[in-house]
DNA sequence: CCGGTTGTTCAGCG
DNA sequence: GCGCTGAACAACCG
């Protein structure tokens, strides 16, 4: 559930609760959850993979990590990490990381680095990449400071779309190719978002977890590469190695 | 039924 | 203090 587009979908699903008062709080989260009792939710926001529930003077930062889930107006057969009950309806989060942060969310987040934000700034991302010139492209795409919201699936699909080998080095890409990388990181995220809403995300995967390259039909290579040794799927034949 | 993973943080080490 | 590595967390799918 956890790449940026899924978090945008969550944020949208939460909008009916905006401005509503929390009547009941429970859950296994270690934060002081009773603090929310009786408070109105000021807003639901998101930044990359962060879900933000904003109150006056503080906010909750919820990260789904790998296995987090949620239910709106229903429950799972599990103890929620956080349950928020309203006069009408409820929100339940499971196996996620929750932090309570004092202050205003706008002081902590730079919305222009979120690939799905209206404030997304492609030029700024290009500048950040030029500073991180020795990075492998597969690591650069997962850097949340530059591409907040991009996850492992998006990484693989973006690199296949722009025909760049994951082991390529950032400063060996032409300026044109770098622009393409930045553009597609945001662009593919919006495609992901639309497909996810239609429950047909997997249907559109071109390279991620595929057996053969849809273009040349050669077997797809699968490797655990980059800083986090994340699963990387690519076509040695179609994706150019800039090194 | 076991192995793998749409992610991040932190401890430990050199 | 740095970067690197591996562990920990945790739930579902194939």
């Amino acid at each position: 559930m956890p790449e940026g587009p899924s978090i945008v979908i969550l944020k949208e699903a939460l909008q009916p609760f905006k401005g509503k008062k929390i009547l009941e709080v429970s859950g296994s989260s270690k934060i002081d959850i009773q603090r929310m009792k009786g408070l109105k939710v000021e807003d639901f926001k998101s930044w990359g993979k962060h879900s933000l529930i904003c109150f006056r003077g503080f906010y909750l930062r919820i990260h789904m990590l790998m296995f987090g889930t949620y239910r709106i107006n229903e429950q799972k057969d599990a103890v929620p990490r956080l349950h928020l009950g309203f006069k009408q309806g409820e929100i339940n989060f499971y196996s996620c990381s929750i932090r309570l942060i004092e202050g205003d969310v706008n002081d902590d987040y730079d919305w222009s680095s979120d690939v799905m934000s209206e404030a997304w700034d492609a030029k700024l991302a290009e500048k950040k990449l030029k500073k991180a010139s020795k990075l492998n492209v597969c690591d650069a795409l997962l850097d949340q400071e530059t591409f907040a919201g991009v996850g492992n699936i998006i990484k693989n699909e973006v690199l296949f779309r722009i025909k760049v080998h994951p082991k390529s080095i950032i400063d060996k890409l032409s300026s044109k190719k770098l622009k393409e990388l930045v553009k597609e990181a945001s662009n593919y995220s919006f495609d992901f978002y639309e497909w996810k809403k239609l429950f047909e995300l997997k249907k559109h995967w071109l390279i991620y977890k595929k057996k053969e390259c849809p273009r040349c039909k050669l077997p797809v290579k699968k490797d655990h590469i980059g800083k986090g040794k994340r699963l990387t799927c690519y076509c040695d034949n179609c994706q150019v190695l800039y090194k």
Side-chain angles (χ1 to χ4, degrees):
Chain A
M1 116 117 274
E3 298 197 29
S6 305
I7 302 306
V8 172
I9 291 167
L10 165 59
K11 172 181 67 180
E12 290 173 353
L14 291 174
Q15 291 308 312
F17 297 97
K18 185 171 167 177
K20 301 286 191 255
K21 193 197 274 188
I22 293 167
L23 302 181
E24 182 191 275
V25 193
S26 64
S28 61
S29 170
K30 281 170 285 184
I31 64 163
D32 173 20
I33 55 175
Q34 290 311 319
R35 178 145 172 208
M36 268 74 71
K37 193 168 177 177
L39 296 187
K40 260 191 208 169
V41 178
E42 301 255 299
D43 208 353
F44 295 97
K45 293 175 179 278
S46 68
W47 179 86
K49 299 163 192 165
H50 297 193
S51 296
L52 306 166
I53 305 181
C54 309
F55 299 91
R56 189 167 305 185
F58 74 100
Y59 63 96
L60 299 187
R61 194 201 78 178
I62 301 182
H63 202 301
M64 297 298 189
L65 291 99
M66 221 51 138
F67 311 118
T69 52
Y70 65 90
R71 293 289 185 276
I72 296 170
N73 299 330
E74 54 183 54
Q75 299 175 353
K76 267 181 41 155
D77 185 19
V79 177
R81 182 95 357 121
L82 179 65
H83 159 88
L84 299 175
F86 298 82
K87 189 174 177 187
Q88 283 196 335
E90 62 184 283
I91 306 171
N92 298 295
F93 293 99
Y94 305 89
S95 32
C96 50
S97 153
I98 304 180
R99 287 194 189 177
L100 192 157
I101 301 165
E102 303 290 346
D104 187 325
V105 77
N106 288 303
D107 296 337
D108 298 342
Y109 285 93
D110 179 0
W111 310 105
S112 70
S113 50
D114 180 341
V115 294
M116 296 196 67
S117 169
E118 286 179 10
W120 164 244
D121 186 345
K123 285 267 180 295
L124 180 62
E126 285 171 36
K127 276 185 207 158
K128 288 175 184 169
L129 286 178
K130 281 171 186 164
K131 277 190 187 165
S133 60
K134 300 299 174 198
L135 276 185
N136 280 0
V137 290
C138 60
D139 287 327
L141 273 167
L142 291 177
D143 175 7
Q144 299 299 297
E145 292 301 316
T146 308
F147 297 109
V150 171
N152 205 35
I153 298 172
I154 297 173
K155 172 195 86 179
N156 282 290
E157 293 293 318
V158 164
L159 291 176
F160 183 74
R161 271 192 176 181
I162 66 171
K163 301 286 174 281
V164 171
H165 194 287
K167 288 177 187 163
S168 297
I169 308 296
I170 286 291
D171 70 358
K172 302 299 178 200
L173 297 192
S174 66
S175 175
K176 188 183 164 211
K177 216 61 195 167
L178 209 62
K179 278 194 169 68
E180 243 184 285
L181 175 78
V182 169
K183 185 169 183 187
E184 208 49 52
S186 172
N187 198 31
Y188 187 85
S189 296
F190 282 98
D191 287 343
F192 184 121
Y193 165 81
E194 295 296 340
W195 293 329
K196 178 95 185 175
K197 283 202 289 190
L198 297 169
F199 305 104
E200 56 179 40
L201 185 59
K202 290 183 189 180
K203 192 171 107 183
H204 296 276
W205 289 347
L206 297 177
I207 198 77
Y208 183 70
K209 290 191 174 168
K210 301 298 279 188
K211 273 213 174 69
E212 62 177 38
C213 171
R215 188 162 169 265
C216 72
K217 309 300 176 196
L218 287 173
V220 168
K221 288 224 172 179
K222 295 181 171 68
D223 259 327
H224 292 267
I225 59 172
K227 284 181 181 171
K229 295 197 168 52
R230 306 294 304 278
L231 176 64
T232 305
C233 308
Y234 57 98
C235 177
D236 249 340
N237 183 47
C238 295
Q239 293 174 250
V240 180
L241 179 58
Y242 299 89
K243 199 163 182 149

